[in-house]
Amino acid sequence: MAQYDSKPRSFQEIILRLQTYWAEKGCAMMQPYDMEVGAGTFHPATTLRSLGSKPWAAAYVQPSRRPTDGRYGENPNRLQHYYQYQVLIKPSPPHLQELYLGSLAAIGIDMDLHDIRFVEDDWESPTLGAWGLGWEVWCDGMEVSQFTYFQQVGGHDCHPVSGELTYGLERLAMYVLGVDHVMDMPFNDPQSPTALSYGDVFKQTEQEYSRWNFDVANTDVLLKHFEEAEAECETILAQEHVDPKTGKRIIMAHPAYDQCIKASHVFNLLDARGVISVTERQAYIGRVRALAKQCADAFVLTEAGGYAA
Amino acid sequence: MPDLLIELFSEEIPARMQTRAADDLKKRVTDGLVEAGLTYAAAQGFSTPRRLTLALDGLLAESPTVREERKGPKVGAPDKAIEGFLRGAGLTRDALEERETPKGNVYFALIEKPGRPAAELIAEVLENTIRNFPWQKSMRWGAGSLRWVRPLHSILCILSDESGHEVVPMDVDGIQASDTTEGHRFMGSGRFAVTGFEDYEAKLKRDHVILNATERAEHIWHDATNMAFALGLEVVEDKGLLAEVSGLVEWPVVLMGDIAEDFLGLPPEVLQTSMKEHQKFFSVRNPKTNRIEKFVTVANRETSDNGATILAGNQKVLFARLSDAKFFWENDIRVAEAGAEAWLESLNNVTFHNKLGTQGDRIARFTALARELAPVVGADADVIGQAARFAKADLSSEMVYEFPELQGLMGRYYATTASLSDKVAAAAEEHYSPLGPSDDVPSAPVSVAVALADKLDTLTGFWAIDEKPTGSKDPFALRRAALGVIRLVQENDLRLPLDRYFDMQLLRHEAHQGEAVRENELNSLLEEIAEHGVFGAAFKTVQEKIEDMPSSWLFGLEDKVPDTSRDLLSFFHDRLKVYLRDEGVRHDVIDACIAMPGNDDLNLLVKRARALETFLRTEDGENLLQGFKRANNIVSQAEEKDGVEYSFGADVKHAEDHTEKALFAVLDEQENAISSAIEAEDFAAAMGGMAALRAPIDAFFEAVQVNADNDITRRNRLNLLSRIRKICLGVADLARVEG
């Protein structure tokens, strides 16, 4: 892989190299999910597509939001908005670990100088009703990826099993580029006429969202949004499978899933505002999980979910 | 006789599961082989992050032929019976043998099961082991249905002897056994074949894998301590961490790095915990300053730059982690300097248990109890109150949120920062103790009071809402809390009548549950209990004092609280039996003491039980017990027969035999001595008095027939025995002692 002999010079170059690498390995290059999510896993290209029997291979960047992690752009590693790189292959290929290590080499990590380790880390998403076994991958003691074999999603056993890789892009890039503060990281090529740092792109938005997330977001409105999204999700799924207008069998798993994800994100915002008590927390998580489960139930009845008429 | 080598090669097995898995592999395969008739000379199990290995020496080449003789139906029995017998034996009729027996001629079947070659049996046993392996958690992968802890890639299974080796033919879900394996993921040279265990172990080492986990651990510890020693430092010992790290590497390379100056001011426990939890680093201490100044990390490979890149990376991660810790610490110090009120305030919004209220409620409850324990531990109630109120403050701190295992310890630091007294600071840390049977028990009176109050409040709380431990389920660690109370009381030699404190605390819980609580009712009730110590009497007094109708809440408690309290006391007695059994006190001896009054005073109970146990181990004790039982039996039988109670009126003037007179004399002499020793809780003296009774009692039974013909003599003797019974039962309920 001659083109990778040089070290990447910017955040975007690392993303581009990952894109190139996984495209070469046969993944469909998807684009981000156009909803607010907490992690790349919530993209329907992962959650829904990991269900059912049909083979699947996709990779994409997913902007992710974690309102509680907002630090007004001051903390060297913590952001309320960040990027994850996500790969999902179903069924998991036998040499997924080697494929993954190849991607680290592609972004300029020299396997002969670094200490790469697979350290037990089982993954569970209470809101998705999903779990899997795998590792966090350490490079010289730093967690650079999550590696998971999905066992269950939305309460359904995964058959076949998908292999999921999640890279925390900022952290990984900071390590590869040798940067200590995320805001100092070159976003594009530092030699380019308009060299931009990560801070040039995101410092202000971190401040704006931190303030909004923590102090301004109207919790009454958010609570209403939650109820509405929940109701809409259930309404969508309660429709008859055959569309009365076209006469076709159209189960609206994806529109329902959008509403489930909306509820999930609103819950995260409410959590960041500190208006959810410990006991209520469990109840909210349970409500989102119930929606996720219904969406999964619906998806497996669709063609993409492996349904054969 | 051949040797067997098995290796199951997979993706990385969680470190904490490896040792157990190697043992399970060994046990399941050897059990299976032995059951199939294949015995072996020696077995060894090994594990690395990527493999489980089993080496068996001296295995039988085939299972022995088994001959079995089965007795069948009589000759001439109905065809159906004979056919059934033939089916069971797997034979035809001409293979049966007729034999004469005392009951006539009978068919016998001689069944011979020929031996089977080892390879066949191994394949069956190993496949069965793989498919039913007892992983705590296992998974599927790809499109297959096989389960393993992580994807299983290859199976090495060979039988070898002087003439060479052969692969045991087998296939598990498409994975075919072979004689090949791989070495280190990054430093190895690809797949290679092996001929037997020695070859396997040597080639692994060549390809940078140390097979034996103990050898890896020793290597790590040796290098780490040497490096530290060279700098005049010492590695903080941590066996759990060493075992874990040994399971994370196949080729350990020890590297030592610096902790940046900025962080050396953090409490050593914080440094240690952060490095261990997040990075699996060992801490390196300067014995002169007791500070943690360096760290040791264990890499899984050698590099051309001698680990420089790896160490730099690790140091950088540590810097970020410790920056977080320092951030938490500085924020916490600010709150603590302001008196920590903000933390106490926020605990009012944290649920402890949905039926038992917030952490704030809980603190208020056990603070009240802790103050009441002041006379028991001999400390100032106000200091105890202050300590109890502060004890849980650190649960709101950022550091404890990040590292829950630092609870208590951070409390101590923050109490000092908040300018609270040393006693209060110590209690913040020590009140959690003892956590386990080998944990130290606090001895500082303030710490003891808070520790007792915290545990008693938890126990009475979960009893009040009926969430007691059942079977193996004890989610709130209530058994541990009870054992903690037992040890606190024992090791500090405290007199703590549990019953009254149970009652008081149960009432506080009930008050929390009760819908319309009248605070003045609760308070007068608590005061009465404190004064009289008995719930029933106190309750009636309060009822009489309250002039208008007491609330329904108060009425309901009359039955509930004493029942719950009794049930909790018997839970304590069960825990106490476990505790004393470990020091060799028999359960029946404890039962004999539990049957005595004052059994809610654990210290008294234990003193009595220990003295009785010691006494019963002596010859005097053993014989006295027999003497008591004999006396008790005779009197009880006579009482039943005569329908009267022999309890009074033995008079020496009716004594006939000299042994009888001697018994009167010794009873007169010892009765008061024993009862005043019991009164003074000097159980050893009481047992001494009992020992003096033994010889006269034995002599009396030897010489005298109790059920004499003369009725006056008989009654006098029965009354005399009844005196013995009474004296003995004043010490303990000896009727409950076995033997």
Side-chain angles (χ1 to χ4, degrees):
Chain A
M1 274 182 267
Q3 74 261 41
Y4 298 136
D5 282 352
S6 62
K7 287 253 169 197
R9 282 177 297 184
S10 65
F11 184 56
Q12 70 188 28
E13 191 181 344
I14 287 171
I15 296 174
L16 290 170
R17 287 192 186 191
L18 285 172
Q19 293 278 61
T20 310
Y21 178 85
W22 287 107
E24 279 172 2
K25 301 297 171 196
C27 287
M29 294 293 103
M30 305 276 294
Q31 299 303 324
Y33 183 36
D34 57 344
M35 298 284 296
E36 298 152 305
V37 291
T41 304
F42 290 83
H43 195 309
T46 290
T47 41
L48 296 183
R49 294 288 176 161
S50 63
L51 293 163
S53 55
K54 287 196 166 181
W56 182 254
Y60 54 90
V61 175
Q62 180 62 49
S64 305
R65 301 193 188 209
R66 291 198 181 162
T68 40
D69 278 355
R71 295 291 184 275
Y72 301 84
E74 302 295 333
N75 187 288
N77 326 291
R78 274 193 212 283
L79 300 161
Q80 56 82 39
H81 174 281
Y82 64 104
Y83 291 100
Q84 284 193 341
Y85 195 83
Q86 175 88 5
V87 180
L88 189 87
I89 306 179
K90 177 175 78 174
S92 63
H95 297 295
L96 189 55
Q97 281 186 311
E98 280 68 30
L99 281 176
Y100 166 75
L101 293 170
S103 75
L104 293 187
I107 58 173
I109 294 179
D110 181 352
M111 294 295 144
D112 289 334
L113 285 181
H114 293 276
D115 183 31
I116 310 288
R117 227 83 73 67
F118 293 85
V119 180
E120 177 191 12
D121 190 31
D122 299 341
W123 172 79
E124 187 182 9
S125 168
T127 46
L128 286 178
W131 68 276
L133 298 190
W135 311 273
E136 47 183 52
V137 185
W138 287 14
C139 175
D140 303 336
M142 188 181 68
E143 184 194 338
V144 289
S145 304
Q146 286 280 336
F147 192 131
T148 307
Y149 292 101
F150 278 6
Q151 302 296 301
Q152 216 177 55
V153 172
H156 291 258
D157 279 345
C158 297
H159 248 304
V161 167
S162 301
E164 182 211 42
L165 307 172
T166 304
Y167 307 71
L169 281 172
E170 281 81 357
R171 195 168 8 169
L172 179 61
M174 282 168 69
Y175 189 69
V176 172
L177 299 170
V179 177
D180 290 328
H181 198 297
V182 63
M183 293 299 167
D184 299 334
M185 178 162 65
F187 199 96
N188 59 2
D189 191 332
Q191 308 299 322
S192 62
T194 318
L196 295 169
S197 70
Y198 196 92
D200 292 332
V201 182
F202 283 122
K203 171 93 187 215
Q204 182 180 322
T205 55
E206 279 300 305
Q207 290 174 338
E208 292 176 7
Y209 279 104
S210 293
R211 182 173 176 198
W212 182 69
N213 291 336
F214 288 128
D215 301 318
V216 178
N218 183 326
T219 53
D220 292 339
V221 171
L222 289 173
L223 281 168
K224 219 173 105 206
H225 282 345
F226 185 93
E227 308 282 345
E228 286 168 357
E230 184 183 43
E232 179 67 4
C233 180
E234 282 168 349
T235 308
I236 295 171
L237 292 174
Q239 302 303 308
E240 283 178 32
H241 291 178
V242 176
D243 173 21
K245 198 171 82 192
T246 62
K248 289 184 175 164
R249 185 172 176 280
I250 306 178
I251 298 170
M252 295 165 285
H254 286 82
Y257 183 72
D258 287 350
Q259 297 303 317
C260 164
I261 288 304
K262 194 171 276 180
S264 169
H265 183 67
V266 170
F267 160 72
N268 287 339
L269 286 170
L270 286 166
D271 201 21
R273 293 285 277 114
V275 295
I276 294 183
S277 74
V278 181
T279 10
E280 283 177 319
R281 216 170 171 273
Q282 287 313 312
Y284 273 102
I285 290 173
R287 283 163 76 179
V288 177
R289 181 170 52 235
L291 297 181
K293 199 180 167 321
Q294 292 170 54
C295 293
D297 294 347
F299 181 76
V300 296
L301 295 178
T302 68
E303 204 189 322
Y307 177 85
Chain B
M1 280 198 280
D3 299 335
L4 171 66
L5 176 64
I6 294 171
E7 183 205 62
L8 303 174
F9 182 82
S10 67
E11 297 178 13
E12 277 76 356
I13 306 165
R16 64 192 171 92
M17 300 179 188
Q18 290 167 18
T19 309
R20 165 88 190 274
D23 289 346
D24 285 337
L25 177 65
K26 182 165 100 177
K27 181 163 177 16
R28 298 224 162 190
V29 172
T30 53
D31 283 0
L33 292 179
V34 169
E35 199 181 317
L38 281 190
T39 54
Y40 61 96
Q44 269 185 293
F46 303 94
S47 61
T48 80
R50 295 210 289 168
R51 63 199 91 225
L52 299 179
T53 300
L54 173 65
L56 285 188
D57 288 349
L59 192 67
L60 289 181
E62 60 179 40
S63 59
T65 300
V66 181
R67 286 182 186 81
E68 188 194 347
E69 191 177 277
R70 242 184 249 176
K71 187 179 169 189
K74 278 184 186 170
V75 174
D79 276 356
K80 265 198 175 158
I82 296 171
E83 278 159 22
F85 176 65
L86 286 170
R87 249 196 316 280
L91 295 174
T92 52
R93 189 177 289 216
D94 52 359
L96 293 182
E97 196 180 294
E98 275 180 46
R99 278 190 214 163
E100 262 178 55
T101 73
K103 289 180 180 170
N105 280 2
V106 170
Y107 283 120
F108 276 80
L110 291 173
I111 306 164
E112 186 172 293
K113 284 188 193 149
R116 294 173 61 199
E120 237 177 84
L121 294 169
I122 292 164
E124 283 172 17
V125 168
L126 182 56
E127 172 162 2
N128 191 20
T129 300
I130 292 173
R131 290 192 185 277
N132 299 295
F133 206 78
W135 293 109
Q136 287 171 30
K137 263 190 198 171
S138 63
M139 54 165 274
R140 292 171 288 106
W141 60 95
S145 61
L146 188 63
R147 302 189 75 91
W148 199 243
V149 66
R150 292 293 183 275
L152 180 65
H153 280 268
S154 68
I155 299 170
L156 180 153
C157 186
I158 55 172
L159 274 169
S160 49
D161 56 25
E162 312 79 45
S163 62
H165 76 280
E166 53 160 341
V167 173
V168 173
M170 64 181 289
D171 178 316
V172 184
D173 260 41
I175 307 172
Q176 286 198 349
S178 73
D179 59 357
T180 67
T181 186
E182 282 175 42
H184 193 276
R185 186 190 278 286
F186 300 104
M187 302 178 75
S189 54
R191 283 229 148 228
F192 53 82
V194 302
T195 59
F197 179 70
E198 277 177 28
D199 185 45
Y200 167 78
E201 197 181 21
K203 282 184 178 153
L204 278 182
K205 199 159 260 183
R206 180 200 69 193
D207 271 27
H208 297 94
V209 174
I210 298 176
L211 178 64
N212 191 327
T214 312
E215 194 183 327
R216 293 195 300 273
E218 280 165 2
H219 175 92
I220 293 167
W221 191 247
H222 175 265
D223 282 11
T225 46
N226 271 4
M227 277 185 201
F229 181 76
L231 297 170
L233 303 173
E234 61 191 20
V235 185
V236 177
E237 195 170 330
D238 189 335
K239 292 212 162 69
L241 182 61
L242 182 60
E244 187 182 0
V245 171
S246 307
L248 288 172
V249 293
E250 295 200 308
W251 193 251
V253 175
V254 175
L255 301 168
M256 185 179 291
D258 291 322
I259 297 170
E261 191 69 31
D262 313 28
F263 306 120
L264 294 180
L266 286 172
E269 297 89 348
V270 170
L271 285 173
Q272 218 173 307
T273 306
S274 175
M275 295 201 295
K276 173 185 174 167
E277 293 303 315
H278 293 309
Q279 305 300 129
K280 322 253 185 245
F281 287 174
F282 291 91
S283 296
V284 180
R285 181 168 48 205
N286 184 337
K288 290 189 206 91
T289 60
N290 235 2
R291 291 200 311 184
I292 307 290
E293 295 182 352
K294 286 179 182 291
F295 68 87
V296 159
T297 182
V298 183
N300 187 32
R301 61 164 308 152
E302 294 163 13
T303 60
S304 55
D305 65 354
N306 292 317
T309 307
I310 296 173
L311 193 57
N314 275 288
Q315 234 149 344
K316 196 163 175 170
V317 182
L318 180 63
F319 192 94
R321 288 290 188 189
L322 293 183
S323 300
D324 272 353
K326 195 172 173 222
F327 178 75
F328 302 144
W329 169 251
E330 285 167 355
N331 287 349
D332 287 349
I333 290 293
R334 265 194 294 279
V335 179
E337 275 169 353
E341 286 301 320
W343 287 338
L344 294 173
E345 190 58 41
S346 76
L347 288 175
N348 289 325
N349 302 319
V350 179
T351 308
F352 167 60
H353 181 283
N354 58 10
K355 285 190 187 157
L356 296 174
T358 66
Q359 291 281 19
D361 296 333
R362 174 187 175 210
I363 292 166
R365 257 187 332 250
F366 76 66
T367 300
L369 176 59
R371 290 180 62 97
E372 281 149 9
L373 291 171
V376 174
V377 298
D380 181 70
D382 289 336
V383 179
I384 292 176
Q386 202 183 19
R389 190 169 170 269
F390 188 83
K392 305 288 180 190
D394 65 347
L395 294 183
S396 282
S397 70
E398 293 186 21
M399 191 68 86
V400 173
Y401 181 81
E402 183 71 11
F403 299 115
E405 64 270 47
L406 291 179
Q407 70 178 16
L409 185 85
M410 297 322 295
R412 182 176 208 144
Y413 280 108
Y414 298 147
T416 309
T417 309
S419 306
L420 294 167
S421 71
D422 289 351
K423 288 176 185 165
V424 173
E429 179 177 7
E430 293 173 351
H431 80 279
Y432 288 104
S433 296
L435 285 172
S438 56
D439 195 19
D440 282 344
V441 173
S443 57
V446 174
S447 302
V448 172
V450 180
L452 282 171
D454 183 14
K455 292 170 175 62
L456 289 173
D457 180 67
T458 303
L459 285 159
T460 48
F462 286 103
W463 246 256
I465 61 168
D466 203 20
E467 294 258 7
K468 306 170 207 171
T470 50
S472 62
K473 287 206 184 94
D474 184 9
F476 305 107
L478 300 178
R479 292 193 180 103
R480 191 173 76 184
L483 180 64
V485 171
I486 290 171
R487 291 190 60 208
L488 280 159
V489 167
Q490 279 302 300
E491 295 181 32
N492 290 296
D493 202 15
L494 299 180
R495 304 306 303 270
L496 185 72
L498 284 174
D499 203 24
R500 91 164 55 166
Y501 294 101
F502 285 171
D503 288 353
M504 286 201 276
Q505 213 58 9
L506 283 169
L507 271 179
R508 290 200 173 94
H509 286 292
E510 292 297 344
H512 177 81
Q513 313 277 309
E515 67 286 12
V517 183
R518 296 196 197 179
E519 202 168 335
N520 57 340
E521 288 170 8
L522 176 69
N523 285 339
S524 25
L525 200 45
L526 290 172
E527 271 165 35
E528 287 296 330
I529 291 173
E531 205 167 312
H532 302 293
V534 188
F535 184 81
F539 190 82
K540 285 189 176 64
T541 316
V542 174
Q543 267 185 328
E544 279 159 19
K545 273 191 195 166
I546 297 170
E547 289 177 1
D548 55 340
M549 266 309 274
S551 67
S552 59
W553 169 75
L554 197 53
F555 266 133
L557 297 183
E558 195 171 4
D559 296 323
K560 189 180 173 192
V561 169
D563 282 354
T564 313
S565 176
R566 253 193 306 281
D567 188 53
L568 181 53
L569 183 61
S570 83
F571 176 74
F572 263 86
H573 286 152
D574 286 344
R575 292 295 97 201
L576 188 68
K577 283 183 200 170
V578 175
Y579 172 76
L580 288 179
R581 188 179 55 204
D582 291 342
E583 54 174 82
V585 182
R586 282 153 43 187
H587 70 94
D588 53 328
V589 170
I590 305 169
D591 279 335
C593 298
I594 288 175
M596 303 305 289
N599 65 3
D600 66 327
D601 180 336
L602 300 179
N603 209 343
L604 184 71
L605 183 51
V606 169
K607 272 188 189 156
R608 195 191 291 265
R610 282 188 184 141
L612 181 58
E613 173 78 23
T614 311
F615 178 55
L616 290 177
R617 280 171 196 268
T618 64
E619 203 198 331
D620 281 344
E622 209 175 298
N623 285 302
L624 182 80
L625 179 65
Q626 296 315 320
F628 162 78
K629 293 216 156 173
R630 196 163 166 191
N632 189 30
N633 285 340
I634 294 170
V635 177
S636 301
Q637 277 164 17
E639 283 177 336
E640 200 174 316
K641 183 168 160 235
D642 304 348
V644 291
E645 193 176 300
Y646 294 99
S647 57
F648 189 69
D651 194 331
V652 69
K653 76 180 181 205
H654 301 302
E656 291 175 351
D657 192 86
H658 71 97
T659 58
E660 199 171 0
K661 285 176 186 149
L663 185 53
F664 268 102
V666 75
L667 288 179
D668 287 344
E669 182 186 304
Q670 294 299 333
E671 188 167 25
N672 281 336
I674 293 173
S675 66
S676 39
I678 295 281
E679 194 82 10
E681 295 171 14
D682 185 349
F683 295 107
M687 299 302 162
M690 302 268 283
L693 302 181
R694 176 236 160 156
I697 291 176
D698 285 356
F700 171 78
F701 279 127
E702 188 74 22
V704 168
Q705 193 192 350
V706 177
N707 286 314
D709 295 338
N710 181 329
D711 198 41
I712 293 174
T713 311
R714 175 173 174 265
R715 261 187 288 146
N716 197 49
R717 286 176 180 165
L718 286 169
N719 280 324
L720 179 62
L721 293 188
S722 158
R723 257 183 93 182
I724 297 173
R725 177 169 75 174
K726 182 163 163 266
I727 292 171
C728 290
L729 289 178
V731 175
D733 187 353
L734 293 185
R736 289 173 189 265
V737 179
E738 291 162 10

